[in-house]
Amino acid sequence: MKTKAYNNVSRNELLKIVRLVLPKEPGVALIHSDLSNFRVSDKGFIWNILYMVEVLVNEGWTLLFPSFTFSFCSGKPFSHIKSPSETGILADKVLLNFSSAKRTSAPIYSFVSLGNETASINSLVPKTTFGFDSVFEWLEKQNAQIVTLGCDWKYCTQFHRYEELAAVKYRDFKTFKGQADYGEGVIPAESTMFVRSLDLEPINDFSPAVNEMEASAMIKKATIFDGNIQCASVNQIKDVCVRQLERDPFLYLSNKNEVLKKIRDLTERKQQDELSLSVFSSKNTELFESHLKLFLNNLVPERKSLIHQIPFGQMYKSLIDQASDIYRSPPFIKIFIDRFKDLPGV
């Protein structure tokens, strides 16, 4: 480690407080963090955190830090070495300052790990982000601890694993494809994730799980520098989430009623005949048709609309040709967009 000494009293106090929430026997811990919530003016506070990490690892702990890069979902290449974490600076600092720290290869949900189990973590080849052979499943097998260092439980990604296990209806599997560089050049990469359905627009709220964990004293808490440090075991989180989702698969949504209505509308839409339309024009109507489709989806969400495509410049031919699609399968609604000067001979 590239060490640097800052405020010995505060770093020892920080280590003492963290030990209060961790089990006495060393194991595995995943640390979510937001260091900005600690009220410290000392710019070297990060070195106090790294000192704590170093001591815990020397005591036998294996620590993981989220280094997620959601930008891969929108097409940005992932670099195993150069892509900075988009979930806080701690993972980057650990990777930079500890030579034995390693980053997993997942282009979206990667982790930086440090400790005896680092090799095991990096050998995982997940089928899906939260599923079989993922870091999230591995944490269960290790009965790991989840630590929130200055941040709220809403940042606990482990909750999403139990949505996937419950196959909640407001999420779907989606495979993101792009490019990644693992140190030997750019290669194709992909990641399959259980993502929120854009059609349903669900909004997660995991407070029911957190509330039950707090009521059952599953969460150990401490405070230092006005920042909260909390800890709970993964298997306790799993027990609560699995039981709650069995009882109500939509419990972790703040807009549950809206999502249920959209699901009913989509189910009804699949059972009904399509609402067919044709737009006739001698101009390009692609933009108009896309707006029309959005309008119809909002106006009659229980019906699926189908807009028949009239080839560009073929309006009159389609109208005259008795064998065209508009005669074989007449649209329910016909929309004409034209001007006198577009008519032949005018």
Side-chain angles (χ1 to χ4, degrees):
M1 173 184 172
K2 301 174 184 177
T3 187
K4 197 171 185 177
Y6 281 94
N7 196 338
N8 289 333
V9 175
S10 64
R11 75 179 189 182
N12 289 331
E13 187 67 20
L14 175 64
L15 179 61
K16 178 182 176 181
I17 293 297
V18 171
R19 280 179 172 151
L20 288 177
V21 301
L22 286 172
K24 291 183 179 179
E25 290 296 319
V28 175
L30 168 61
I31 300 179
H32 292 279
S33 63
D34 185 350
L35 305 187
S36 66
N37 286 325
F38 291 97
R39 294 183 181 274
V40 288
S41 57
D42 187 354
K43 294 181 180 179
F45 181 60
I46 185 64
W47 294 102
N48 296 338
I49 298 288
L50 295 179
Y51 169 78
M52 174 201 74
V53 169
E54 183 176 39
V55 172
L56 292 176
V57 169
N58 288 339
E59 289 177 353
W61 281 94
T62 294
L63 304 179
L64 293 87
F65 307 88
S67 53
F68 305 158
T69 45
F70 301 113
S71 56
F72 181 83
C73 301
S74 56
K76 186 175 181 178
F78 171 70
S79 171
H80 186 239
I81 300 172
K82 296 180 181 179
S83 292
S85 167
E86 297 168 11
T87 48
I89 65 169
L90 189 51
D92 292 340
K93 293 294 184 181
V94 170
L95 189 61
L96 176 65
N97 288 281
F98 293 92
S99 60
S100 58
K102 303 294 180 186
R103 187 179 192 177
T104 59
S105 60
I108 303 174
Y109 279 91
S110 66
F111 293 86
V112 170
S113 61
L114 185 66
N116 296 332
E117 298 294 335
T118 293
S120 298
I121 296 166
N122 280 269
S123 68
L124 297 171
V125 183
K127 307 299 181 187
T128 64
T129 298
F130 309 115
F132 178 73
D133 238 6
S134 66
V135 171
F136 300 96
E137 182 195 52
W138 184 86
L139 289 170
E140 289 176 1
K141 293 178 178 179
Q142 303 298 315
N143 192 23
Q145 306 297 310
I146 303 289
V147 178
T148 61
L149 199 64
C151 63
D152 190 87
W153 279 99
K154 67 182 179 181
Y155 296 104
C156 175
T157 321
Q158 192 73 22
F159 289 132
H160 296 312
R161 168 163 169 78
Y162 308 116
E163 290 182 302
E164 181 170 321
L165 292 182
V168 295
K169 293 183 179 180
Y170 53 85
R171 286 181 176 267
D172 302 295
F173 285 106
K174 181 176 181 179
T175 299
F176 296 91
K177 297 183 179 182
Q179 295 181 323
D181 185 351
Y182 298 108
E184 298 180 355
V186 176
I187 60 173
E190 64 179 46
S191 181
T192 300
M193 185 163 58
F194 199 46
V195 300
R196 290 179 297 168
S197 170
L198 296 178
D199 291 336
L200 301 177
E201 299 180 304
I203 303 173
N204 272 132
D205 175 11
F206 296 108
S207 59
V210 177
N211 291 340
E212 180 172 333
M213 289 162 60
E214 288 181 333
S216 302
M218 296 178 184
I219 301 176
K220 294 183 179 180
K221 300 181 179 181
T223 303
I224 188 171
F225 308 132
D226 289 338
N228 293 320
I229 300 174
Q230 302 184 42
C231 179
S233 79
V234 169
N235 285 344
Q236 286 180 320
I237 295 172
K238 177 182 179 179
D239 289 343
V240 170
C241 291
V242 168
R243 183 169 15 90
Q244 288 186 337
L245 287 172
E246 283 179 351
R247 188 170 66 246
D248 181 358
F250 297 90
L251 184 63
Y252 297 153
L253 295 180
S254 63
N255 60 337
K256 170 182 172 179
N257 291 335
E258 291 89 341
V259 170
L260 285 171
K261 182 182 182 304
K262 288 180 180 179
I263 290 176
R264 287 194 296 269
D265 288 343
L266 288 171
T267 301
E268 187 175 349
R269 179 184 295 188
K270 291 177 182 178
Q271 295 172 346
Q272 294 197 44
D273 293 334
E274 291 179 323
L275 182 63
S276 63
L277 303 92
S278 284
V279 178
F280 296 91
S281 176
S282 56
K283 303 296 183 182
N284 190 331
T285 60
E286 189 173 322
L287 183 60
F288 171 77
E289 289 172 5
S290 65
H291 285 296
L292 177 62
K293 192 149 191 165
L294 287 174
F295 173 76
L296 291 169
N297 286 342
N298 291 327
L299 184 66
V300 279
E302 71 280 2
R303 295 286 295 275
K304 183 178 180 180
S305 57
L306 174 65
I307 300 178
H308 295 278
Q309 300 289 329
I310 304 299
F312 178 70
Q314 300 295 311
M315 180 180 75
Y316 300 111
K317 182 179 179 181
S318 299
L319 290 171
I320 295 170
D321 185 4
Q322 296 291 320
S324 69
D325 290 341
I326 64 169
Y327 290 103
R328 283 199 302 267
S329 180
F332 180 71
I333 297 175
K334 303 180 184 71
I335 299 175
F336 290 85
I337 304 174
D338 222 325
R339 299 173 297 175
F340 282 120
K341 69 178 184 178
D342 291 328
L343 296 174
V346 176

